[in-house]
Amino acid sequence: MGHLPDGIVLDEAASPGGALELVAYEASGLVWIGVRPKGSPLKGALGLHTGSNKEHYLEATAEIHGIWGVAFAAVSPEIERVEVRNERGESFPGRIVPLPVNFEEEYQAAWGIATECRKECRLIAYDDRGRLIDSSMIRPRRHDLSAEETLELIRTHCDNGLRYTTWALKKMPSIPEQAGHVGQVQNHRHALAIVLAYLEGADDERSASSAADSIVQRYIAAVDAEGWEPPFASGPDRSEDVK
């Protein structure tokens, strides 16, 4: 790979291999973040928002150099703290560094160095609610959901899950390689029914547990009556809410 633009130095840090620089530059309408030995050309960089049509809280990569590594990333505005972990689960401090204002990019750069990295060096983030965030977690498109909207999303999730697990439990006994998983699916269905019971008015574990069995029976009857099948089995979803 040829040399990339010199970029703007955002931060410097000492590593077992010498001083490193965190740099950023703009090219082809994108912001790029990279790490290089101090005073050396940049040979690789991470492009922001290039990996998927889904935006993630954390877009990260890493370089491993023998027994140490450096992880660097772009992090969303909700991220307040970062750290780097090696394959043994040991944590090392990281830093968040703002990008230049003229880049007009709401994400910030982040990086950190870890030792004892022979196979893995990854950057982990924590958001403004203290939640651990890794690079697989998708950032929601909206951040202003009302309580009612959130409850409706939970109810819909439970409804879809109860329908699917009920349908699956009808099919699984006839499929030898899946028969051993019936108990797991039944437990998952019961857990969804417990959550739905709270949404329907249960006020403690006892009342939720007693309602869950009735909810399961309700879905068994509804799936049978409707001939419900999941979209991948029947085309467009024909289901309606269970009343």
Side-chain angles (χ1 to χ4, degrees), residues 74-202:
V75 297
S76 71
E78 295 88 357
I79 301 303
E80 291 193 340
R81 179 169 65 88
V82 296
E83 62 186 40
V84 180
R85 293 184 182 177
N86 60 19
E87 61 260 32
R88 295 162 57 181
E90 297 171 324
S91 298
F92 301 81
R95 294 201 291 261
I96 297 175
V97 186
L99 291 166
V101 175
N102 62 301
F103 280 16
E104 298 183 351
E105 169 59 56
E106 67 170 349
Y107 276 46
Q108 301 184 89
W111 71 326
I113 296 165
T115 57
E116 300 299 324
C117 290
R118 291 176 173 83
K119 298 179 181 179
E120 184 176 304
C121 179
R122 60 194 180 104
L123 194 138
I124 297 292
Y126 296 85
D127 69 4
D128 49 14
R129 290 187 279 170
R131 298 182 303 167
L132 187 151
I133 306 289
D134 64 22
S135 58
S136 65
M137 191 167 177
I138 296 172
R139 187 186 185 206
R141 292 186 298 270
R142 286 185 56 191
H143 305 276
D144 60 345
L145 290 175
S146 67
E148 291 76 13
E149 288 174 309
T150 299
L151 290 172
E152 180 58 23
L153 288 172
I154 296 171
R155 191 206 65 79
T156 299
H157 173 78
C158 291
D159 179 71
N160 291 338
L162 283 160
R163 288 177 182 277
Y164 177 76
T165 52
T166 297
W167 172 84
L169 285 166
K170 292 176 62 179
K171 303 289 185 180
M172 291 175 73
S174 64
I175 305 174
E177 60 270 25
Q178 293 185 0
H181 300 290
V182 167
Q184 295 176 344
V185 178
Q186 287 175 329
N187 289 340
H188 182 55
R189 179 172 67 177
H190 184 74
L192 289 168
I194 290 282
V195 176
L196 187 57
Y198 281 112
L199 293 176
E200 293 183 352

